[in-house]
Short mmCIF file of all heavy atoms in Angstrom, two decimals:
data_model
loop_
_atom_site.label_atom_id
_atom_site.label_comp_id
_atom_site.label_asym_id
_atom_site.label_seq_id
_atom_site.Cartn_x
_atom_site.Cartn_y
_atom_site.Cartn_z
N ALA B 2 15.89 1.33 -32.74
CA ALA B 2 15.65 0.03 -32.13
C ALA B 2 16.29 -1.04 -32.96
O ALA B 2 16.43 -0.95 -34.18
CB ALA B 2 14.15 -0.20 -32.03
N GLU B 3 16.67 -2.10 -32.30
CA GLU B 3 17.34 -3.18 -33.03
C GLU B 3 17.21 -4.47 -32.23
O GLU B 3 16.74 -4.48 -31.10
CB GLU B 3 18.83 -2.87 -33.20
CG GLU B 3 19.55 -2.69 -31.91
CD GLU B 3 21.09 -2.42 -32.09
OE1 GLU B 3 21.54 -2.45 -33.29
OE2 GLU B 3 21.75 -2.17 -31.11
N ILE B 4 17.60 -5.55 -32.91
CA ILE B 4 17.65 -6.87 -32.23
C ILE B 4 19.04 -7.42 -32.51
O ILE B 4 19.50 -7.50 -33.64
CB ILE B 4 16.47 -7.79 -32.72
CG1 ILE B 4 16.54 -9.14 -32.05
CG2 ILE B 4 16.47 -7.89 -34.20
CD1 ILE B 4 15.26 -9.91 -32.24
N THR B 5 19.72 -7.81 -31.45
CA THR B 5 21.12 -8.26 -31.57
C THR B 5 21.21 -9.69 -31.07
O THR B 5 20.44 -10.12 -30.19
CB THR B 5 22.06 -7.39 -30.78
OG1 THR B 5 21.67 -7.31 -29.41
CG2 THR B 5 22.08 -5.99 -31.38
N GLN B 6 22.18 -10.39 -31.60
CA GLN B 6 22.48 -11.77 -31.17
C GLN B 6 23.96 -11.94 -30.89
O GLN B 6 24.75 -11.34 -31.58
CB GLN B 6 22.04 -12.77 -32.26
CG GLN B 6 20.57 -12.86 -32.53
CD GLN B 6 20.28 -13.82 -33.59
OE1 GLN B 6 19.60 -13.58 -34.59
NE2 GLN B 6 20.65 -15.09 -33.40
N SER B 7 24.29 -12.75 -29.87
CA SER B 7 25.66 -12.99 -29.55
C SER B 7 25.79 -14.40 -29.02
O SER B 7 24.90 -14.90 -28.34
CB SER B 7 26.23 -11.97 -28.57
OG SER B 7 25.52 -12.04 -27.34
N PRO B 8 26.93 -15.08 -29.33
CA PRO B 8 27.95 -14.62 -30.27
C PRO B 8 27.40 -14.77 -31.76
O PRO B 8 26.31 -15.30 -31.95
CB PRO B 8 29.09 -15.58 -30.03
CG PRO B 8 28.40 -16.85 -29.58
CD PRO B 8 27.18 -16.40 -28.83
N ARG B 9 28.14 -14.24 -32.68
CA ARG B 9 27.75 -14.35 -34.07
C ARG B 9 28.27 -15.72 -34.62
O ARG B 9 27.62 -16.24 -35.52
CB ARG B 9 28.38 -13.24 -34.93
CG ARG B 9 27.82 -11.84 -34.52
CD ARG B 9 26.36 -11.71 -34.89
NE ARG B 9 26.06 -12.17 -36.22
CZ ARG B 9 26.21 -11.49 -37.34
NH1 ARG B 9 26.65 -10.24 -37.28
NH2 ARG B 9 25.94 -11.99 -38.49
N HIS B 10 29.33 -16.20 -34.09
CA HIS B 10 29.86 -17.50 -34.50
C HIS B 10 30.30 -18.25 -33.20
O HIS B 10 30.90 -17.63 -32.36
CB HIS B 10 31.04 -17.40 -35.43
CG HIS B 10 30.74 -16.62 -36.68
ND1 HIS B 10 30.28 -17.28 -37.84
CD2 HIS B 10 30.82 -15.32 -36.97
CE1 HIS B 10 30.07 -16.34 -38.79
NE2 HIS B 10 30.42 -15.15 -38.30
N LYS B 11 30.01 -19.59 -33.18
CA LYS B 11 30.47 -20.31 -32.03
C LYS B 11 30.75 -21.78 -32.47
O LYS B 11 29.94 -22.35 -33.23
CB LYS B 11 29.46 -20.33 -30.86
CG LYS B 11 30.02 -21.04 -29.66
CD LYS B 11 29.22 -20.74 -28.44
CE LYS B 11 29.83 -21.44 -27.21
NZ LYS B 11 31.11 -20.84 -26.83
N ILE B 12 31.82 -22.28 -31.98
CA ILE B 12 32.19 -23.71 -32.19
C ILE B 12 32.18 -24.32 -30.79
O ILE B 12 32.86 -23.80 -29.87
CB ILE B 12 33.54 -23.88 -32.87
CG1 ILE B 12 33.50 -23.18 -34.24
CG2 ILE B 12 33.84 -25.34 -33.07
CD1 ILE B 12 34.87 -23.18 -34.94
N THR B 13 31.51 -25.45 -30.63
CA THR B 13 31.47 -26.11 -29.33
C THR B 13 31.58 -27.57 -29.54
O THR B 13 31.52 -28.09 -30.69
CB THR B 13 30.23 -25.75 -28.59
OG1 THR B 13 30.32 -26.19 -27.19
CG2 THR B 13 29.00 -26.45 -29.18
N GLU B 14 31.76 -28.32 -28.48
CA GLU B 14 31.91 -29.76 -28.57
C GLU B 14 30.60 -30.47 -28.13
O GLU B 14 29.83 -29.92 -27.35
CB GLU B 14 33.03 -30.26 -27.65
CG GLU B 14 34.39 -29.71 -28.08
CD GLU B 14 35.49 -30.13 -27.14
OE1 GLU B 14 35.20 -30.59 -26.01
OE2 GLU B 14 36.73 -30.04 -27.52
N THR B 15 30.38 -31.63 -28.70
CA THR B 15 29.26 -32.45 -28.35
C THR B 15 29.16 -32.60 -26.84
O THR B 15 30.18 -32.82 -26.17
CB THR B 15 29.37 -33.81 -29.00
OG1 THR B 15 29.46 -33.60 -30.46
CG2 THR B 15 28.18 -34.68 -28.72
N GLY B 16 27.96 -32.47 -26.30
CA GLY B 16 27.74 -32.63 -24.86
C GLY B 16 27.80 -31.37 -24.01
O GLY B 16 27.38 -31.41 -22.87
N ARG B 17 28.38 -30.34 -24.55
CA ARG B 17 28.50 -29.14 -23.79
C ARG B 17 27.15 -28.32 -23.76
O ARG B 17 26.40 -28.40 -24.74
CB ARG B 17 29.63 -28.22 -24.32
CG ARG B 17 30.99 -28.78 -24.04
CD ARG B 17 32.05 -27.75 -24.42
NE ARG B 17 33.39 -28.23 -24.18
CZ ARG B 17 34.07 -28.04 -23.07
NH1 ARG B 17 33.50 -27.27 -22.06
NH2 ARG B 17 35.28 -28.47 -22.90
N GLN B 18 26.96 -27.56 -22.72
CA GLN B 18 25.81 -26.63 -22.71
C GLN B 18 26.23 -25.34 -23.32
O GLN B 18 27.32 -24.82 -23.12
CB GLN B 18 25.42 -26.39 -21.28
CG GLN B 18 24.16 -25.54 -21.13
CD GLN B 18 23.73 -25.25 -19.69
OE1 GLN B 18 24.30 -24.45 -19.04
NE2 GLN B 18 22.71 -25.97 -19.26
N VAL B 19 25.32 -24.83 -24.19
CA VAL B 19 25.59 -23.58 -24.92
C VAL B 19 24.42 -22.68 -24.75
O VAL B 19 23.24 -23.10 -24.82
CB VAL B 19 25.79 -23.89 -26.42
CG1 VAL B 19 26.01 -22.58 -27.20
CG2 VAL B 19 26.97 -24.86 -26.62
N THR B 20 24.66 -21.40 -24.58
CA THR B 20 23.59 -20.39 -24.57
C THR B 20 23.80 -19.36 -25.53
O THR B 20 24.91 -18.77 -25.62
CB THR B 20 23.50 -19.80 -23.11
OG1 THR B 20 23.09 -20.79 -22.19
CG2 THR B 20 22.43 -18.70 -23.13
N LEU B 21 22.87 -19.11 -26.38
CA LEU B 21 22.87 -18.08 -27.37
C LEU B 21 22.03 -16.85 -26.90
O LEU B 21 20.84 -17.13 -26.49
CB LEU B 21 22.35 -18.58 -28.75
CG LEU B 21 22.97 -19.87 -29.28
CD1 LEU B 21 22.38 -20.24 -30.63
CD2 LEU B 21 24.46 -19.75 -29.29
N ALA B 22 22.55 -15.74 -26.94
CA ALA B 22 21.87 -14.56 -26.46
C ALA B 22 21.08 -13.82 -27.54
O ALA B 22 21.50 -13.78 -28.71
CB ALA B 22 22.85 -13.59 -25.77
N CYS B 23 19.94 -13.26 -27.15
CA CYS B 23 19.15 -12.41 -28.04
C CYS B 23 18.60 -11.27 -27.24
O CYS B 23 18.01 -11.42 -26.17
CB CYS B 23 17.93 -13.21 -28.60
SG CYS B 23 16.85 -12.20 -29.55
N HIS B 24 18.83 -10.06 -27.73
CA HIS B 24 18.46 -8.82 -27.05
C HIS B 24 17.72 -7.88 -28.03
O HIS B 24 18.32 -7.60 -29.09
CB HIS B 24 19.69 -8.16 -26.42
CG HIS B 24 19.39 -6.88 -25.71
ND1 HIS B 24 18.90 -6.89 -24.40
CD2 HIS B 24 19.50 -5.59 -26.08
CE1 HIS B 24 18.71 -5.65 -24.02
NE2 HIS B 24 19.06 -4.81 -24.99
N GLN B 25 16.52 -7.38 -27.65
CA GLN B 25 15.87 -6.51 -28.57
C GLN B 25 15.49 -5.23 -27.77
O GLN B 25 15.14 -5.22 -26.64
CB GLN B 25 14.64 -7.13 -29.18
CG GLN B 25 13.63 -7.74 -28.24
CD GLN B 25 12.42 -6.96 -27.89
OE1 GLN B 25 12.23 -5.82 -28.42
NE2 GLN B 25 11.54 -7.49 -27.06
N THR B 26 15.57 -4.07 -28.58
CA THR B 26 15.15 -2.83 -27.94
C THR B 26 13.91 -2.22 -28.61
O THR B 26 13.68 -1.04 -28.51
CB THR B 26 16.36 -1.80 -28.12
OG1 THR B 26 16.72 -1.69 -29.50
CG2 THR B 26 17.56 -2.32 -27.30
N TRP B 27 13.18 -3.12 -29.27
CA TRP B 27 11.92 -2.70 -29.89
C TRP B 27 10.76 -2.57 -28.79
O TRP B 27 9.68 -2.12 -29.14
CB TRP B 27 11.46 -3.65 -30.93
CG TRP B 27 12.24 -3.63 -32.16
CD1 TRP B 27 13.28 -4.52 -32.52
CD2 TRP B 27 12.16 -2.72 -33.25
NE1 TRP B 27 13.80 -4.21 -33.73
CE2 TRP B 27 13.09 -3.12 -34.21
CE3 TRP B 27 11.31 -1.67 -33.52
CZ2 TRP B 27 13.31 -2.40 -35.41
CZ3 TRP B 27 11.49 -0.96 -34.74
CH2 TRP B 27 12.46 -1.36 -35.65
N ASN B 28 11.03 -3.11 -27.65
CA ASN B 28 10.01 -3.26 -26.60
C ASN B 28 8.85 -4.14 -27.03
O ASN B 28 7.70 -3.89 -26.66
CB ASN B 28 9.50 -1.88 -26.18
CG ASN B 28 8.78 -1.88 -24.80
OD1 ASN B 28 9.21 -2.65 -23.91
ND2 ASN B 28 7.78 -1.09 -24.64
N HIS B 29 9.18 -5.14 -27.84
CA HIS B 29 8.18 -6.09 -28.27
C HIS B 29 7.93 -7.14 -27.19
O HIS B 29 8.88 -7.62 -26.59
CB HIS B 29 8.61 -6.81 -29.56
CG HIS B 29 8.56 -5.89 -30.74
ND1 HIS B 29 9.30 -6.20 -31.86
CD2 HIS B 29 7.87 -4.81 -31.01
CE1 HIS B 29 9.10 -5.26 -32.80
NE2 HIS B 29 8.22 -4.40 -32.29
N ASN B 30 6.70 -7.51 -27.04
CA ASN B 30 6.35 -8.63 -26.13
C ASN B 30 6.72 -9.98 -26.72
O ASN B 30 7.04 -10.91 -26.00
CB ASN B 30 4.88 -8.60 -25.75
CG ASN B 30 4.60 -7.54 -24.72
OD1 ASN B 30 5.40 -7.22 -23.84
ND2 ASN B 30 3.39 -6.93 -24.79
N ASN B 31 6.60 -10.11 -28.00
CA ASN B 31 6.71 -11.39 -28.69
C ASN B 31 8.11 -11.62 -29.22
O ASN B 31 8.69 -10.80 -29.95
CB ASN B 31 5.76 -11.51 -29.85
CG ASN B 31 4.34 -11.13 -29.40
OD1 ASN B 31 3.69 -11.93 -28.79
ND2 ASN B 31 3.89 -9.94 -29.73
N MET B 32 8.73 -12.72 -28.86
CA MET B 32 10.03 -13.11 -29.32
C MET B 32 10.09 -14.57 -29.72
O MET B 32 9.37 -15.36 -29.20
CB MET B 32 11.10 -12.85 -28.20
CG MET B 32 11.20 -11.35 -27.82
SD MET B 32 12.55 -11.04 -26.64
CE MET B 32 13.97 -11.28 -27.69
N PHE B 33 10.94 -14.85 -30.69
CA PHE B 33 11.02 -16.16 -31.33
C PHE B 33 12.43 -16.59 -31.59
O PHE B 33 13.28 -15.78 -31.83
CB PHE B 33 10.27 -16.06 -32.72
CG PHE B 33 8.97 -15.32 -32.72
CD1 PHE B 33 8.89 -14.02 -32.82
CD2 PHE B 33 7.81 -16.08 -32.59
CE1 PHE B 33 7.67 -13.33 -32.84
CE2 PHE B 33 6.56 -15.41 -32.59
CZ PHE B 33 6.51 -14.04 -32.69
N TRP B 34 12.62 -17.91 -31.58
CA TRP B 34 13.90 -18.50 -31.98
C TRP B 34 13.63 -19.46 -33.12
O TRP B 34 12.76 -20.31 -33.05
CB TRP B 34 14.58 -19.23 -30.84
CG TRP B 34 15.43 -18.43 -29.94
CD1 TRP B 34 15.21 -17.93 -28.74
CD2 TRP B 34 16.74 -17.95 -30.29
NE1 TRP B 34 16.25 -17.23 -28.25
CE2 TRP B 34 17.23 -17.20 -29.22
CE3 TRP B 34 17.58 -18.07 -31.42
CZ2 TRP B 34 18.48 -16.60 -29.20
CZ3 TRP B 34 18.82 -17.50 -31.45
CH2 TRP B 34 19.28 -16.75 -30.30
#
Side-chain angles (χ1 to χ4, degrees):
Chain B
E3 61 178 355
I4 180 165
T5 57
Q6 294 182 234
S7 62
R9 295 293 312 278
H10 301 269
K11 185 166 182 68
I12 301 173
T13 191
E14 294 177 346
T15 300
R17 289 190 179 267
Q18 185 181 76
V19 176
T20 296
L21 308 183
C23 175
H24 179 82
Q25 53 100 0
T26 58
W27 289 99
N28 200 33
H29 288 159
N30 283 324
N31 308 284
M32 296 185 72
F33 313 86
W34 272 104

